[in-house]
Amino acid sequence: MGNANCVFCGCVDQASIGVVEKWGRFHRLAQPGLQFFNPFAGVCLAGVLSTRINSLGVLIETKTKDNVFVQLHCSIQYRVIKHNADDAFYELQNPQEQIQSYVFDVVRAHVPRMTLDELFEQKGDVAQAVLEELEKIMGAYGYNIEHILVVDIIPDPSVKKAMNEINAAQRMQLANVFKGEAEKILQVKKAEAEAEAKYLGGVGVARQRQAITDGLRENILNFSHKVEGTSSKDVMDLIMITQYFDTIKDLGNGSKNTTIFIPHGPGHVRDIGEQIRNGMMEASSAQVNVDLI
């Protein structure tokens, strides 16, 4: 980790630990601060190790259970254990390379047992497996693994595009379902509104016809009582002629009406009157028969 410094004193920085040798052998650990050495007795400062947390980024390419090649970007945070700093100083020549090798080994043994979807959902399990393996191995060399983070999972671009298309298709299918339900509700409400409108229209027409019938009955009775020698037939003919001319007048006054061809003449008015009278007589006869039964 460093060359021996044959000096009488030295300073070890904060968040660091010094390794002191005596005649080339490990002697003791030097804490932060001013340290005195006796080079004549073979005591010197062999090197200094930082006890700060270090971060190592590792990019691993591997294959999932469903044969999809992915790249995992892992971040390993580690630090030197103070009381085992001598192991960290003497045991490993390149700790970063050693950590990276173990990470490759654990990830490539764990990920092939998972599908791509499971890998995205359970990336914490991968990080935990790597952490347990590294803590067990690197602890013997004086290093403590603080955290392991699976920062990113990068599948092949074609696989990523296919996944996005699948997701888009599923969302489109769900949107169509909701759209169909909305159209169904709209059609049902529209049908209910039309049915209600027709019902109310029928009620209105029935009331209108009832009012017309009541009015005709009153007019016939009043006219027959006030004008002597008139029969119900005469009064009905007069009313029908009046209604007929009122209808012609309304058709003529309407600005938006198109041309309508209708038969016109006293004979046609008489035919209409006879049809109404026959209908009323048939209704009265039916009511009499019901009463007799």
Side-chain angles (χ1 to χ4, degrees), residues 1-3 46-49 88-90 92-95 143:
M1 289 294 178
N3 297 322
V48 177
L49 291 175
F89 187 82
Y90 292 106
L92 294 179
Q93 180 68 27
N94 191 337
Y143 285 91

Side-chain angles (χ1 to χ4, degrees), residues 173-245:
Q173 182 180 6
L174 185 61
N176 290 332
V177 170
F178 282 111
K179 183 178 179 181
E181 290 294 330
E183 291 180 353
K184 177 183 176 181
I185 294 173
L186 182 62
Q187 292 294 333
V188 170
K189 292 299 182 181
K190 184 178 179 180
E192 291 177 355
E194 290 179 355
E196 185 68 18
K198 290 180 180 179
Y199 170 76
L200 294 176
V203 171
V205 171
R207 289 179 179 177
Q208 180 185 17
R209 291 177 178 175
Q210 183 64 38
I212 292 173
T213 302
D214 294 341
L216 290 175
R217 184 182 298 110
E218 278 186 35
N219 289 334
I220 292 172
L221 293 176
N222 292 334
F223 199 86
S224 300
H225 292 158
K226 293 181 180 180
V227 181
E228 297 181 359
T230 58
S231 63
S232 299
K233 178 179 178 302
D234 297 332
V235 176
M236 181 61 74
D237 290 339
L238 179 60
I239 292 175
M240 292 303 300
I241 292 173
T242 303
Q243 291 291 333
Y244 178 79
F245 281 108

Side-chain angles (χ1 to χ4, degrees), residues 57-61 71-74 100 103-104 108 152 154:
V58 181
L59 186 62
I60 312 159
E61 185 174 9
Q71 289 183 337
L72 273 71
H73 184 199
C74 299
Q100 182 173 334
V103 172
F104 269 85
R108 287 178 174 171
D152 197 8
I154 309 172

